[in-house]
Amino acid sequence: MTVPPLVLGAALVFWGWQTHDLLAGVLLAALVEAPRFTSFRLELREVDYRRVADFCTLLFAAVGALLVAARGLPRGVLGTLQWLPALLAPILVAQRYGAAGTIRLSALFHYLRRQKARDPSVSDPQIDLSGVFLATAAIAAGGANSRGPGFYAGVAALAGWTLYALRPRHAARAAWALAFACATALGYAGHVELARLQAQLEALAADWYLRAPIDPYQSHTDIGSIGRLKLDDTILMRVHIPQGQEARARLLHGASYNSYGGGIWTARDAPLEPLAAEPDGATWVLGRRTPTSSVVIEARTEDGKALLALPAGTVRVAGLPAESLRRNALGAVLADAKTDWIGYAARYAADVGADEAPPSTLDLAIPPAERAALMRVAADIGLRGAAPREVARRVTKFLARFRYSTYREHAPRAGLTPLGDFLLVSQSGHCEYFAAATTLLLRAGGVPARYATGYVAREYSTLEDAIVVRARHAHAWTRAFIGGRWVELDNTPPAWFEAEAQLAPAWQGLSDVLRWALFHWSRRGAGETSDLWWWALAALVALLGVRLVAGRRAVRRAAPHTPPARRYPGKDSEFYAVERVLAARSAPRAAHESLAGWALRAAGAIDAAQRAELLDALALHQRYRFDPAGLSPAERRALRERSRALAGALGAARLESTS
């Protein structure tokens, strides 16, 4: 497709605007459109185009791998899509600054290069990447998902500009404009309705299943799993805790659950209800009490959603411009933010647990499958009839002799559930065992209790000057209703944190530096270009310039818009000399006449021997021009010799006749 002048530049500016990299879009647009205003070109060889294309491939793979490692697979793939115009710009720039103005298809595909190496006759056409690049820029702009009318208006403008320039010359302008306006209006109506349908489906899906590290509806534990747990060092949060508040803000609550069975904790009778934001649109009130302190948290989202990690007693969330916030009666707070990272201040009161929903019968329920083991332990340690605080103390004392382990070698003993085996036999497990055992033993002693999940904030990073929370810092504990309020009770041996840290990979420090850089890159503001972009752009331009300019001869075209001369097989055939001599002698070739038809007509004006030579030379010429197999070296030599001899003979005969 022939792209009209300046459309590519406009598409790149549009891409930069939509992806909040306007400066990058403007610079690339200037680089791509500059060849329209200068005759400067570089005489590039086929191998040069291949090197630039290979460089783009490596750049695409490297950036894609980095973004997937930093953001996860879905967000990483989407981020790579958004960067496509910048990643593919070198090959387009090479084409536009090359003397040919096009590139061979084999420059883009290694498979075609191998085929061509085996068989030189394989079709390898010259192509123009401008149309493909225009579509890429539009698609990449859509990957930013800004959800505003500007995207549709920009795409419609680019499409209208291009289609108007390519419209049939006989088409009436008014009719074309009316048809395009109708198509644009219908497309926008469909676009709006599809967006509404998507929003409804997302809300419905969120009510049934949420793909997040912590789910407010269910927690699938690893209780009963054989082997070592997978420990992931991916950083999920960065937490800034005021001095003196480290102990209070160490446990960051995500969700609580009140029903257990088959290794799964569920939040029953606890639907998520919407919260109303304060007039500033970024402050959300969770409780009635006055906050006394706060922590600042920067958290990663999953598909634009995040289950907020909050210290116990949080009554207000500030600085969070989310699209919506929903909360359930068990303390889970779900934010819909549509960004990779969110930042907020969790402000909490001095007394904890006063704003949580009071206990229900579900907070005392004991699963039938676990009853026998729980009642046996409850009787052994004297839980029945004890005061709630004493029940909690005895459960803590009982579990204090247990060991922490992320590894389980054997299945439960016959007749026991995994949790029963933990309580009566192995006495070794990870935090989910301790939290589940604590919760259900408290219930066996008559104390309402809930299973809580969240994270532990303990690892300070000097690089980030913050506490980093990794995926392996996910934790489970118990919330018990004692003294008229919910209190945190964590009976997992404290050594668990250090035990898991010792299993971290040796390259974690290096990985953290990369995560730190990518985090700050992803947190840049709209329209802001970080130093990382400038270094990447400088390196790309320098490498491209060295590769294209070093050792290459600069040429100037007579006119910037003059298309390159068309090349075709057999152009160097000596038979054309025969054609010129015959045309000058007696039989000029008509504009509509094929070479074979003209030769048969011209053969009538020469003797029989020359006629035979003419037809033989014509047959070789036609094979040289159109047969994919071409001519053998001997046949090529015969074409050359016969054509030259025939042209000489016919030329001499013409001179004799004119004299």
Side-chain angles (χ1 to χ4, degrees):
M1 182 184 76
T2 302
V3 176
L6 303 180
V7 170
L8 274 181
L12 284 167
V13 172
F14 172 66
W15 163 77
W17 170 45
Q18 289 291 300
T19 58
H20 307 303
D21 277 311
L22 184 58
L23 180 58
V26 171
L27 290 176
L28 285 176
L31 188 64
V32 166
E33 292 294 350
R36 294 190 181 275
F37 306 99
T38 176
S39 60
F40 174 81
R41 294 295 183 271
L42 290 170
E43 201 170 64
L44 300 175
R45 300 171 301 170
E46 187 174 342
V47 67
D48 298 319
Y49 290 111
R50 291 182 178 182
R51 287 170 178 168
V52 176
D54 291 344
F55 170 72
C56 291
T57 302
L58 292 175
L59 190 63
F60 172 80
V63 171
L66 289 175
L67 291 178
V68 168
R71 301 182 182 181
L73 184 60
R75 293 266 173 193
V77 171
L78 188 61
T80 308
L81 172 65
Q82 293 178 31
W83 274 86
L84 270 180
L87 301 178
L88 301 181
I91 188 62
L92 180 69
V93 170
Q95 173 192 305
R96 294 177 76 82
Y97 282 90
T102 56
I103 68 171
R104 288 203 175 274
L105 186 63
S106 59
L108 306 179
F109 300 102
H110 280 271
Y111 173 73
L112 186 56
R113 295 181 203 173
R114 292 194 298 269
Q115 274 197 326
K116 190 175 178 182
R118 292 193 297 265
D119 183 1
S121 64
V122 169
S123 177
D124 185 15
Q126 295 278 351
I127 60 172
D128 184 354
L129 294 177
S130 301
V132 175
F133 195 84
L134 174 63
T136 300
I139 293 172
N145 197 20
S146 57
R147 294 178 178 265
F151 172 73
Y152 188 82
V155 170
L158 289 173
W161 187 349
T162 304
L163 293 175
Y164 180 80
L166 300 178
R167 76 190 191 286
R169 296 297 98 183
H170 63 273
R173 295 183 180 181
W176 183 94
L178 178 62
F180 184 77
C182 292
T184 302
L186 290 173
Y188 184 73
H191 165 76
V192 171
E193 292 305 318
L194 283 174
R196 290 176 180 172
L197 177 61
Q198 178 183 354
Q200 293 175 359
L201 292 175
E202 286 179 350
L204 180 63
D207 288 336
W208 287 96
Y209 179 69
L210 179 70
R211 293 175 56 85
I214 300 177
D215 187 332
Y217 300 106
Q218 284 189 343
S219 177
H220 292 256
T221 71
D222 284 307
I223 293 177
S225 298
I226 305 299
R228 186 175 300 281
L229 295 182
K230 181 180 180 181
L231 304 177
D232 190 350
D233 62 343
T234 300
I235 296 176
L236 302 179
M237 283 178 279
R238 291 158 173 88
V239 186
H240 304 269
I241 303 177
Q243 190 173 4
Q245 295 291 316
E246 291 84 0
R248 173 66 189 278
R250 181 163 292 174
L251 283 179
L252 300 175
H253 177 263
S256 292
Y257 310 91
N258 52 18
S259 180
Y260 178 74
I264 301 174
W265 283 93
T266 307
R268 293 179 56 190
D269 299 336
L272 289 168
E273 302 291 345
L275 294 174
E278 294 293 279
D280 65 358
T283 302
W284 311 78
V285 177
L286 307 182
R288 300 180 300 275
R289 291 166 297 145
T290 303
T292 58
S293 190
S294 68
V295 298
V296 175
I297 299 174
E298 294 170 299
R300 193 174 183 173
T301 66
E302 181 76 18
D303 294 335
K305 294 179 172 59
L307 200 58
L308 299 189
L310 303 170
T314 297
V315 294
R316 190 164 299 169
V317 175
L320 178 60
E323 294 188 6
S324 67
L325 228 68
R326 294 187 290 164
R327 185 190 187 195
N328 70 12
L330 305 183
V333 180
L334 179 66
D336 189 352
K338 305 302 181 187
T339 57
D340 290 335
W341 289 86
I342 56 173
Y344 57 92
R347 298 175 178 171
Y348 51 89
D351 52 338
V352 302
D355 292 310
E356 300 290 340
S360 68
T361 55
L362 289 171
D363 298 311
L364 286 168
I366 298 176
E370 311 293 347
R371 180 175 294 275
L374 291 168
M375 291 307 177
R376 176 176 167 181
V377 173
D380 289 345
I381 61 178
L383 299 184
R384 263 307 162 193
R389 292 189 186 279
E390 181 60 20
V391 170
R393 188 192 69 81
R394 293 181 183 182
V395 170
T396 299
K397 182 180 178 181
F398 169 70
L399 294 175
R401 65 191 187 205
F402 284 42
R403 294 179 299 105
Y404 178 79
S405 174
T406 60
Y407 186 80
R408 185 179 181 87
E409 295 183 359
H410 306 292
R413 275 58 171 181
L416 292 177
T417 65
L419 187 60
D421 186 82
F422 167 75
L423 288 169
L424 302 176
V425 182
S426 70
Q427 298 189 347
S428 174
H430 49 79
C431 63
E432 293 172 339
Y433 284 95
F434 284 93
T438 300
T439 302
L440 296 179
L441 283 174
L442 288 172
R443 293 181 180 184
V447 179
R450 294 169 179 167
Y451 179 89
T453 60
Y455 297 93
V456 171
R458 282 179 57 181
E459 182 185 338
Y460 178 75
S461 168
T462 55
L463 174 67
E464 310 223 22
D465 191 25
I467 293 177
V468 295
V469 177
R470 305 179 188 275
R472 69 165 183 266
H473 296 160
H475 194 48
W477 63 93
T478 298
R479 283 188 161 179
F481 195 74
I482 300 174
R485 67 184 61 223
W486 294 98
V487 299
E488 313 280 2
L489 193 59
D490 184 8
N491 284 328
T492 303
W496 76 268
F497 195 88
E498 287 74 15
E500 292 192 359
Q502 291 175 1
L503 299 175
W507 57 85
Q508 178 178 286
L510 182 61
S511 300
D512 285 351
V513 173
L514 177 60
R515 292 187 179 105
W516 169 80
L518 291 174
F519 167 71
H520 283 282
W521 165 250
S522 67
R523 293 289 287 163
R524 70 197 190 284
E528 176 186 348
T529 305
S530 72
D531 291 340
L532 180 61
W533 162 254
W534 288 111
W535 284 109
L537 181 61
L540 186 150
V541 171
L543 182 57
L544 178 64
V546 169
R547 271 309 204 185
L548 292 184
V549 177
R552 301 291 172 263
R553 183 167 63 90
V555 296
R556 290 190 177 274
R557 297 194 305 180
H561 304 293
T562 302
R566 182 172 178 267
R567 301 183 62 86
Y568 53 85
K571 189 176 182 180
D572 60 341
S573 174
E574 293 77 10
F575 186 80
Y576 291 116
V578 177
E579 178 190 5
R580 288 192 296 271
V581 172
L582 269 179
R585 177 177 175 179
S586 60
R589 180 180 169 190
H592 67 276
E593 199 170 16
S594 68
L595 185 63
W598 165 83
L600 291 175
R601 180 169 62 83
I606 57 179
D607 60 44
Q610 290 177 333
R611 186 182 307 121
E613 285 294 319
L614 174 66
L615 296 179
D616 288 344
L618 174 64
L620 289 171
H621 169 79
Q622 297 288 65
R623 285 182 54 203
Y624 187 42
R625 276 279 283 117
F626 302 109
D627 189 344
L631 299 179
S632 67
E635 290 170 328
R636 179 69 183 91
R637 188 166 54 253
L639 171 62
R640 182 183 307 112
E641 294 173 353
R642 287 187 175 188
S643 297
R644 288 176 178 175
L646 184 59
L650 292 173
R654 177 173 176 269
L655 289 176
E656 289 177 3
S657 64
T658 56
S659 62

